[in-house]
Amino acid sequence: MEFKPTIEDVAKLAKVSIATVSRVINNQGGVRKATEERIVSAINELGYIRSAVARSMKRKETHTIGIIVPDIKNPFFPFVVSGIEQKAREKGYYTILSSTNESPIVEEEIVKIFIERGVDGVIITTANETGDHIKLLHDQGIPIVAIDRAIKNFEVDTVLVDNVNGSYQAVQHLILQGHKKIAIICGPQNTTPGHERFLGYKKALEDYNIPLDDKLVIQGDFMEGSGFHATHELFDLEARPTAIFSSNNLMTIGCMKALVDLDWKLGEEVSFIGFDDVEIATFIKPKLSVVSRPMNTLGEIAVQLLYERMNVKGNLPKRQYLLSPELKIRESCQLNKIKI
Amino acid sequence: MEFKPTIEDVAKLAKVSIATVSRVINNQGGVRKATEERIVSAINELGYIRSAVARSMKRKETHTIGIIVPDIKNPFFPFVVSGIEQKAREKGYYTILSSTNESPIVEEEIVKIFIERGVDGVIITTANETGDHIKLLHDQGIPIVAIDRAIKNFEVDTVLVDNVNGSYQAVQHLILQGHKKIAIICGPQNTTPGHERFLGYKKALEDYNIPLDDKLVIQGDFMEGSGFHATHELFDLEARPTAIFSSNNLMTIGCMKALVDLDWKLGEEVSFIGFDDVEIATFIKPKLSVVSRPMNTLGEIAVQLLYERMNVKGNLPKRQYLLSPELKIRESCQLNKIKI
DNA sequence: GATGTAAATCTAAACGTTTACATTTTTTGA
DNA sequence: TCAAAAAATGTAAACGTTTAGATTTACATC
């Protein structure tokens, strides 16, 4: 069946005009019952499938959403993407996905191609929060929703996680357990999540009158390796921290590996909370306490916002969601035994 | 800049016909240097981006690859997808991704939409290996590459992992450590991976003259929960196994959670090997030994095969790759201390 | 300067839909 | 039974490209 029937073939077989066929396949009504039946059976007989390309051509919309993530291998994103994909499909949209490896250059190329392909909207976690390299999208009037990372230089709908609040909760919890020497493994300070999670840490310390000790603030890059090294660094300190707060999932993993290597006893010698839930959290011993982000919801809301913007003609104001992460207390932080 | 310039606008501005502009944007040569320059600057001035939709319409190809996976949240797939996506982009193709939640019904819908959208090829890990629900693709002459799971009822290029070999290696390793009571947590026997991994297990036992004990063969469904329950079941056995082989990553995770719950000491009281590497493997204590699949490579080869089939006019024979997994010995299987 | 040839450029027809508008058919109500 | 109104159907243009084939231009040769 190499032959691909077109709407014209259907029309011919059903002895009607292509306009009528079009009306039937689009459920527009205004077609006599008998005619419709004739058309439907012609469609079935020929195995006709309408060409979305031709349709897009005329309609000037592709029902395609472009997704840009910095690293699909980071377990956070598949969950977000899954939320997006599911919700989008419900609404009749499909997604084209690209991962930039955190490169703004790649990101710019992808944006170009997305425009070429006529995506109706884009959901992006950008590799460069200024957003200059994405300006093109904005100029074309293509709706954008920024997810997890904000875009600074122009206005777009945004779905963020309240990072400050999340890390505040985590650090506060550690403080209430009696810890004073609390270390943080930071993400890059030029990214919103990296910076904000540090701010939450700082604020918690301030609120409880604990001076910030620079030695306990280690810069990482959100990658596993840096979590690993940071932990080693902390271990080597004269005044070792009694608790560690890690700013993301990958660094948490690196940190765990280091703890095992160093035989630094989790929960006993050092308490721990990580930002982001990780697979391992619940079967490592002791189970890891974490700040968990609502990944699926994040994706779903992004689709909702984008959907509205794609389908409402008038101007919508910029909308911004700030989702609260949830502190999941498990077993990795104990009362500090070291007397003050 | 709400106005979207077309090739015609460019032509007008450069004072040439649209045919010449087309030749320039497609690098087809045969255009005088001066003319080309005039066209290029017209393109830049207008910010012209050619419409891939119109192009696809004429060319009858979209340079789009459809990817269908059963569950994007299973950490195995993001790695495969990442391999696909990267390689595809190199070759000028983009990917549209859908996750079926292991539902053949959803899968069929997706296939339909992929056809509607005119994908040039499909890479699929199917939810139903008979492949009947995908027949439509095949009928349309759209190239398919099956990845990780075979398709039975018609011929397609296939990239598989040598499951039999992988589980054989794992079980053999356990046997050589002196284990005789080796349990397996199986995947569904109606899936290729599920069945083959069981076959490898069986074969290893046979080769070493160890009788197969039905009580030690637990059926799971490749989901975390079943790994958890299976482990409980094994623990409750009168004759507890001294080693467990888990057939996939998610069940491994379930199993680990159960071990913690039951306080069944990994490595000491029970040795363990899992199919598929998991994030946790290296910082759980003892570190997990696993059979690891080359996920990235899997995706890359799939793209290569698909690419050839999409761009070669003649008939290619069915090709089948069988990638060997790698046994990564870490610490979770110890010499069996229980004397024989 | 005329001629022939090669190179550059143009014209116009597709590709498969949707849709405004025109036309035909059916229904309604006197 | 007929005209008017409503419903169904048809006609044809458009969407933005690519491309075969026609036409023009440039260049070399004599």
Side-chain angles (χ1 to χ4, degrees), chain A residues 1-2 4 47-54 56-57 62-64 72-73 75 78-79 81-82 85-86 89 92-101 106 109-110 112-118 136 138-142 224 250 253 256-257 260-261 263 278-280 282-285 287 296, chain B residues 1-2 4 47-54 56-57 62-64 72-73 75 78-79 81-82 85-86 89 92-101 106 109-110 112-118 136 138-142 224 250 253 256-257 260-261 263 278-280 282-285 287 296:
Chain A
M1 203 218 281
E2 267 301 301
K4 268 205 152 193
Y48 166 76
I49 297 182
R50 86 134 136 12
S51 154
V53 174
S56 292
M57 172 96 194
T62 54
H63 270 223
T64 302
I72 188 64
K73 286 175 289 184
F79 283 88
V81 168
S82 169
E85 204 248 311
Q86 208 116 334
R89 191 158 61 220
Y93 284 78
Y94 268 66
T95 56
I96 132 170
L97 174 72
S98 271
S99 182
T100 64
N101 287 318
V106 173
E109 285 167 20
I110 293 176
K112 178 91 184 297
I113 295 198
F114 279 8
I115 294 174
E116 203 173 300
R117 297 192 157 226
L136 205 49
H138 194 245
D139 291 344
Q140 303 275 327
I142 298 175
E224 187 181 316
L250 262 28
I253 289 167
M256 288 305 116
K257 290 189 180 175
V260 169
D261 271 18
D263 208 28
V278 281
E279 231 178 35
I280 54 156
T282 58
F283 53 88
I284 205 166
K285 208 165 186 175
K287 294 177 183 162
N296 218 68
Chain B
M1 205 218 279
E2 268 300 301
K4 267 206 154 193
Y48 166 76
I49 296 181
R50 86 133 143 346
S51 155
V53 173
S56 293
M57 172 98 195
T62 54
H63 269 221
T64 302
I72 189 63
K73 286 175 288 184
F79 284 88
V81 167
S82 170
E85 205 247 313
Q86 208 116 336
R89 191 158 61 219
Y93 283 78
Y94 267 66
T95 56
I96 131 169
L97 173 72
S98 271
S99 182
T100 64
N101 287 318
V106 174
E109 284 167 19
I110 293 177
K112 178 92 184 298
I113 295 198
F114 278 8
I115 294 175
E116 204 174 299
R117 298 195 157 223
L136 204 49
H138 194 245
D139 291 344
Q140 302 274 328
I142 298 175
E224 188 180 316
L250 262 27
I253 289 168
M256 288 305 116
K257 290 189 180 176
V260 168
D261 270 17
D263 208 27
V278 280
E279 230 177 35
I280 54 156
T282 58
F283 52 88
I284 205 167
K285 207 162 186 176
K287 294 176 183 165
N296 217 68

Side-chain angles (χ1 to χ4, degrees), chain B residues 36-48:
Chain B
E36 172 157 1
E37 275 163 14
R38 230 166 53 238
I39 292 176
V40 168
S41 53
I43 287 176
N44 291 334
E45 184 173 335
L46 293 172
Y48 166 76

Side-chain angles (χ1 to χ4, degrees), chain A residues 186-207:
Chain A
C186 291
Q189 291 304 301
N190 58 349
T191 67
T192 306
H195 187 56
E196 290 184 348
R197 289 172 203 171
F198 173 66
L199 289 182
Y201 164 83
K202 212 167 92 177
K203 182 150 189 307
L205 294 185
E206 276 167 13
D207 284 2

Side-chain angles (χ1 to χ4, degrees), chain A residues 286-323:
Chain A
K287 294 177 183 162
L288 243 43
S289 296
V290 298
V291 176
S292 169
R293 290 187 282 177
M295 302 178 279
N296 218 68
T297 314
L298 222 47
E300 288 177 2
I301 293 182
V303 172
Q304 185 59 40
L305 290 178
L306 194 62
Y307 182 77
E308 289 165 11
R309 212 166 269 278
M310 291 187 302
N311 292 290
V312 169
K313 47 250 115 245
N315 278 47
L316 286 169
K318 167 180 178 177
R319 283 139 332 145
Q320 182 148 352
Y321 272 73
L322 196 58
L323 270 45

